[in-house]
Structure formats: C-alpha cells, structure tokens
Amino acid sequence: MATIEEALEIERLERDIFRGASTKTQLPRTFGGQVAGQALVSAVRTVEPRFQVHSLHGYFLRPGNPQEPTVYQVERIRDGRSFCTRRVTGIQDGAAIFTMSASFHVGDQGPEHQDVMPGVPMPEDLADASTTMSPERLWAMREWEHWDIRMVPPENVSRRDGVVSQQQVWFRYRHLLPDDPLVHVCTLAYMSDMTLLGSSKVVHPDEPTQNASLDHAMWFLRPFRADEWLLYDQSSPSAAFGRGLTGGKIFTREGTLVAAVVQEGLIRTLRES
C-alpha cells in the first residue's frame, strides 16, 4: 500500500489552497490519520521555517471518499513573533470532511519535567503484528505494511491503579525518513490515529461496534524520529453513549516523552437487524 510520502503528498493550487493525493487503500473511507497528516502538511507550507508545530486540534466531520483527492484550504489566523496559528478545512465534493487548528512555536527556555515511561518489554522482544494478527485482521497489516507495529501482550502491559482500560504499542516507520523534523511530525500525526481507539475496546473485546474517529488533539513536546522505535502508552478513561474517550503518551525507547494525544471516537454497539 501507500508509503508515507505518498500518503502525505499535497499539491499547491493557490497560495493557501492545496490538494492532497488519494492513495491505494482497502478502507471504505479515507483513513483519519491521512486526512490529519495532509492537513498538517498544508498548514506547514504556509509558515516560516523557524516555526515548529506544537499542537493540533481536529474534528472529523464526514467520512472521506478514499478514491477522491481532498482539497485543503488554509486560513492564516495569526502570525506573531513566537507563535502562529492556522486553521485548515479539508473539502470533498464541496463539503467539509475535516477541520483543524494548528499552532506553531519558535521555542523558548523554561522549566522542564516529564512522566516516566512505563516499564514494558522492548520491541525486539515482541513479535511483529503481521505475524500474530488473526486472519480476519491481516488486511490491516497489508494496509499499513510500511509500519512495524508490535503490541505489548496484555499480561505485560504496565498497569496503573485506577486506570480501567489500557494498551501499549511499539511502532516505527520501516524505512529511513529525511532528517527534516517536520517530516517526522507529520508522519507521527498520521500514525497517531492508528490503534488509539482500540484502547477503548480492551475491556469490551467481544462486543461488536462501529468505530470511527470523531476528534483528535495532539501536542508535540520534544524532538523525535518516526523511523525509530516509539512506545504509544494508551488508555481509555471513559466510554458512554456510543463514544469512547482515549489518550496516549508517546515515548522514545530511551524514555523521552515526545508527544501526547487525546481522541474521542465512535464505538457504537452494532445491533442485530
């Protein structure tokens, strides 16, 4: 299937209007990570190089057609000395399918602290998901064949008191990426939508549900490479009314906290007809 370069490819149509490529896929609707990633690439193209992405907040408004390209319209909300803000709307067939605000920062000096990475097996000690996935889920490994994804087995998940639903996932892009930090940020934005909603299903494994991302927020905290191992420490503090709230912290294998994600998704129970 598509490489990350193909998935995030955009074409500039006007000063602040871009068109994202459609890619070969098995999915019935456009993958949310691809829409968010293309929207972020569009926003990046409108800011000075000295600014780095520090956050994004997006809403998935309608299912995208994966056979059609998406047009992204960027609004320049603010250009300041330290921060700038962009709003991006993804459009198909004249209707908005995604909207996102992205904030950029030049970086400052200040106090530092971070949470400690949970103690889990290293990725080399875990099986590649493509070798352990059930036959009915193997399509996912074909869809994301350029990603090495390794689920921490439930018995090895680092449990925290009072946290009801957890899962932990190691992942990396299989191929060497350019050194440009923005490439890695946009690649991680793409990847961050993958597996996260599954943390809301950990305690409901046998309940059939319709699943979809509803909104997605992400903060980029420290430099990283998406082609090196990252641990996605995920949890779901609540599920109710057909929606699951999920969150994740992303660490390097050395234990550096590099990103944080919060997402709410649809986990609507499927009823027999």
Side-chain angles (χ1 to χ4, degrees):
M1 291 297 169
T3 65
I4 194 64
E5 292 87 353
E6 293 168 337
L8 298 181
E9 182 183 354
I10 63 167
E11 172 191 4
R12 188 174 228 133
L13 303 179
E14 286 283 351
R15 178 173 180 260
D16 293 332
I17 301 176
F18 303 84
R19 180 167 56 205
S22 59
T23 56
K24 185 178 180 181
T25 180
Q26 307 167 91
L27 300 175
R29 58 179 181 263
T30 307
F31 174 54
Q34 180 172 2
V35 177
Q38 289 184 347
L40 187 57
V41 173
S42 300
V44 165
R45 298 282 177 88
T46 70
V47 302
E48 297 178 18
R50 64 192 181 94
F51 288 96
Q52 298 293 311
V53 186
H54 81 86
S55 69
L56 63 85
H57 300 255
Y59 286 88
F60 299 95
L61 306 176
R62 294 179 177 86
N65 181 348
Q67 308 304 320
E68 298 292 335
T70 304
V71 172
Y72 298 92
Q73 184 169 345
V74 181
E75 297 176 69
R76 302 181 184 232
I77 303 301
R78 177 175 182 260
D79 285 298
R81 289 191 297 270
S82 297
F83 289 89
C84 63
T85 307
R86 297 291 184 264
R87 184 162 51 229
V88 187
T89 303
I91 301 168
Q92 284 189 346
D93 294 325
I97 66 168
F98 180 73
T99 182
M100 181 186 77
S101 293
S103 183
F104 299 77
H105 186 212
V106 296
D108 288 308
Q109 296 296 315
E112 296 187 15
H113 67 266
Q114 68 154 76
D115 284 352
V116 176
M117 184 176 79
V120 297
M122 289 291 103
E124 294 83 3
D125 299 323
L126 301 173
D128 188 323
S130 63
T131 67
T132 61
M133 193 71 71
S134 61
E136 63 270 17
R137 293 287 296 167
L138 279 177
W139 67 267
M141 292 300 97
R142 293 191 294 271
E143 182 72 28
W144 291 289
E145 62 183 334
H146 300 289
W147 292 91
D148 194 340
I149 301 170
R150 306 195 179 195
M151 306 291 297
V152 176
E155 63 271 18
N156 295 125
V157 169
S158 180
R159 303 290 177 182
R160 300 189 296 277
D161 289 343
V163 179
V164 65
S165 191
Q166 291 180 251
Q167 71 177 10
Q168 289 154 344
V169 185
W170 285 102
F171 69 90
R172 65 176 175 179
Y173 192 66
R174 292 185 185 273
H175 315 296
L176 184 67
L177 293 169
D179 292 334
D180 183 356
L182 289 172
V183 171
H184 295 267
V185 164
C186 294
T187 298
L188 189 59
Y190 174 96
M191 174 61 195
S192 64
D193 188 44
M194 203 183 304
T195 74
L196 182 56
L197 190 54
S199 65
S200 66
K201 293 293 299 295
V202 169
V203 290
H204 313 283
D206 300 321
E207 185 167 355
T209 56
Q210 177 189 1
N211 305 321
S213 303
L214 297 175
D215 59 14
H216 194 86
M218 191 168 188
W219 295 263
F220 301 93
L221 307 174
R222 293 173 179 86
F224 63 89
R225 292 189 65 94
D227 53 7
E228 295 179 353
W229 284 115
L230 297 168
L231 176 68
Y232 207 167
D233 179 28
Q234 305 168 345
S235 64
S236 176
S238 176
F241 302 104
R243 303 188 309 272
L245 180 64
T246 60
K249 300 173 185 176
I250 300 176
F251 297 86
T252 67
R253 65 177 300 143
E254 293 77 25
T256 301
L257 179 60
V258 298
V261 188
V262 175
Q263 181 185 90
E264 189 175 46
L266 185 72
I267 53 167
R268 182 164 52 204
T269 299
L270 291 176
R271 304 295 183 186
E272 292 185 5
S273 56

